[in-house]
Amino acid sequence: MKILVTGGAGFIGSHLCRYLIQKGHEVVCLDNFFTGKAINISDLEKNSKFKIIPYDIIKPIKLKEHFDRIYNLACPASPPAYQFDSIKTIKTNTTGVINVLEFAKLNGARVLQTSTSEIYGDPLEHPQKETYRGNVNPLGPRACYDEGKRVAETLFMDYHLKYNLQIRIARIFNTYGPSMDKDDGRVVSNFIMQALNNKPITIYGRGNQTRSFCYVSDLVEGLHKLMEFDSIGPINLGNPGEFTMLELANKIIKLTNSKSKIEYRELPQDDPTKRKPEISLAKRCLNWEPKIQLEEGLKKTIGYFKWIIKNNL
Ligand code: NAD
Ligand code: UDP
């Protein structure tokens, strides 16, 4: 198949492009390189089945080629990155999403949206099922992302209902692994870089907030299974193993043999207190569940960040 991946130079996108090429597909990737990096896809650029086009999806997509599948990943995912220009983040999730959907309609392509557990906000239901409608502050600093991703889901559903477009909606929970940007401010990259440099580990708040971390290869397999499955979703994709940030910090200190000490910083406004996916739908429908548990995934990710430091990247 011929597949378009928006945001393909980013963390998850680059793994997805590699996975699809290994499956024999032809992949074209659109990316504005806001958080994406050439190094994430440097191994693919020699491959005749891969093409990267620098492009911002808030402009209408006018590719001449025909695509069978479209994965929409274009959107910064780390809080400092999506808050850097909140209005741009909203444009990416509204104008950008409409452009992706229009292009899918023109192609008769199936199109998958990478939605997020953030649409559940600071959840009042735990763990979070797909039926939960969320608790989001529409005026807070996270709103450009949370509300942007919520309206993106609405747009996907409306194109499905109005034009019978084949859509898929994946609700992704915190994902980590190699190719994460060392400076993007997310917790796993921050803690590993701090630990490897024997710098203080910055815990926001008391560190008792929880997250559930999914290793990137598991996630990519889930995205592909959902795309090829016969249901529009939404389906949660995440690893139900739930950890406090203090537990995560201590695990990383141990795995890196670091001398780092923990330092407490102010908790950002609207930081969700807990998050854990209910994945029985993904297990039942997609026959999918994560295989790589936190310690094993952290070891691989630590190896990547050691390589980044050694090569001054
Ligand atoms: P990332 O920031 O590494 O990748 C996003 C990519 O999109 C980058 O390459 C960036 O340059 C590109 N991009 C941003 N705005 C664009 C625009 N307007 N036009 C074209 N390209 C644009 O983030 P990621 O972690 O790889 O996340 C990928 C997708 O998955 C995002 O849509 C994100 O919301 C979603 N998601 C990620 C997580 C996670 O934990 N990583 C969780 C839930 C959902
Ligand atoms: N966090 C932290 N220290 C850091 C970075 C993040 O304690 O250096 C916390 C953050 O407050 C949040 C959790 O880790 O509670 C996950 O943050 P991340 O930005 O990775 O993802 P998200 O908040 O979007 O789930």
Side-chain angles (χ1 to χ4, degrees), residues 79 118 142 174 187 190-191 202 204 209 211 245 271 275:
E118 294 279 327
R142 300 173 82 94
N174 296 62
V187 70
N190 271 10
F191 285 4
T202 55
Y204 303 160
Q209 70 270 40
R211 293 292 185 277
M245 293 312 100
D271 200 280
R275 201 174 290 139

Side-chain angles (χ1 to χ4, degrees), residues 17-287:
C17 290
R18 203 167 289 113
Y19 181 89
L20 294 171
I21 285 172
Q22 277 161 9
K23 286 214 166 293
H25 302 298
E26 216 176 304
V27 175
V28 175
C29 148
L30 297 182
D31 202 298
N32 70 355
F33 289 94
F34 172 49
T35 50
K37 299 241 173 330
I39 190 179
N40 290 347
I41 46 166
S42 55
D43 60 314
L44 297 176
E45 287 189 90
K46 299 175 245 30
N47 194 312
S48 61
K49 291 195 161 174
F50 180 76
K51 188 161 73 184
I52 166 90
I53 303 173
Y55 199 80
D56 197 306
I57 62 156
I58 71 167
K59 292 181 289 183
I61 302 170
K62 291 179 175 151
L63 297 172
K64 295 273 178 329
E65 298 135 288
H66 174 270
F67 291 90
D68 307 290
R69 300 281 187 267
I70 302 173
Y71 288 85
N72 184 40
L73 282 81
C75 179
S78 124
Y82 68 64
Q83 288 167 21
F84 174 77
D85 184 348
S86 55
I87 294 168
K88 177 66 193 269
T89 300
I90 297 172
K91 282 185 189 161
T92 296
N93 282 310
T94 51
T95 310
V97 164
I98 290 172
N99 289 334
V100 169
L101 288 164
E102 282 294 327
F103 187 67
K105 180 155 79 79
L106 199 71
N107 276 258
R110 187 179 294 177
V111 55
L112 181 147
Q113 166 66 355
T114 53
S115 190
T116 166
S117 56
E118 294 279 327
I119 65 113
Y120 300 124
D122 191 6
L124 305 176
E125 177 180 300
H126 196 69
Q128 293 79 53
K129 283 198 205 81
E130 289 84 350
T131 47
Y132 178 52
R133 291 190 184 170
N135 175 37
V136 171
N137 174 5
L139 302 177
R142 300 173 82 94
C144 59
Y145 185 74
D146 306 359
E147 296 287 21
K149 288 282 184 177
R150 287 170 71 94
V151 82
E153 286 198 11
T154 310
L155 283 166
F156 264 68
M157 188 54 87
D158 286 343
Y159 269 73
H160 172 65
L161 295 174
K162 188 158 183 195
Y163 302 114
N164 204 21
L165 192 70
Q166 292 187 64
I167 62 156
R168 301 288 182 269
I169 298 173
R171 290 190 182 148
I172 303 173
F173 285 64
N174 296 62
T175 300
Y176 70 103
S179 298
M180 283 187 98
D181 180 354
K182 66 177 169 46
D183 300 316
D184 85 356
R186 284 187 262 194
V187 70
V188 174
S189 44
N190 271 10
F191 285 4
I192 294 178
M193 287 302 292
Q194 291 162 347
L196 289 176
N197 290 311
N198 294 308
K199 297 239 173 82
I201 305 278
T202 55
I203 288 201
Y204 303 160
R206 299 304 305 155
N208 50 5
Q209 70 270 40
T210 66
R211 293 292 185 277
S212 302
F213 297 100
C214 187
Y215 190 68
V216 65
S217 59
D218 283 332
L219 193 265
V220 162
E221 190 194 11
L223 288 177
H224 180 249
K225 283 195 160 183
L226 172 57
M227 177 64 107
E228 299 311 324
F229 181 66
D230 192 18
S231 159
I232 63 175
I235 291 192
N236 287 341
L237 294 176
N239 189 321
E242 185 185 9
F243 298 88
T244 67
M245 293 312 100
L246 202 52
E247 285 170 329
L248 178 71
N250 285 323
K251 259 186 199 301
I252 290 175
I253 290 173
K254 193 171 132 236
L255 291 172
T256 50
N257 286 317
S258 175
K259 296 187 184 62
S260 294
K261 296 276 173 284
I262 283 169
E263 255 183 37
Y264 293 94
R265 300 274 168 88
E266 199 183 334
L267 185 69
Q269 190 195 328
D270 293 339
D271 200 280
T273 47
K274 51 187 178 301
R275 201 174 290 139
K276 173 184 162 99
E278 212 317 323
I279 59 162
S280 49
L281 199 58
K283 280 187 187 166
R284 195 173 68 247
C285 298
L286 309 181
N287 191 24

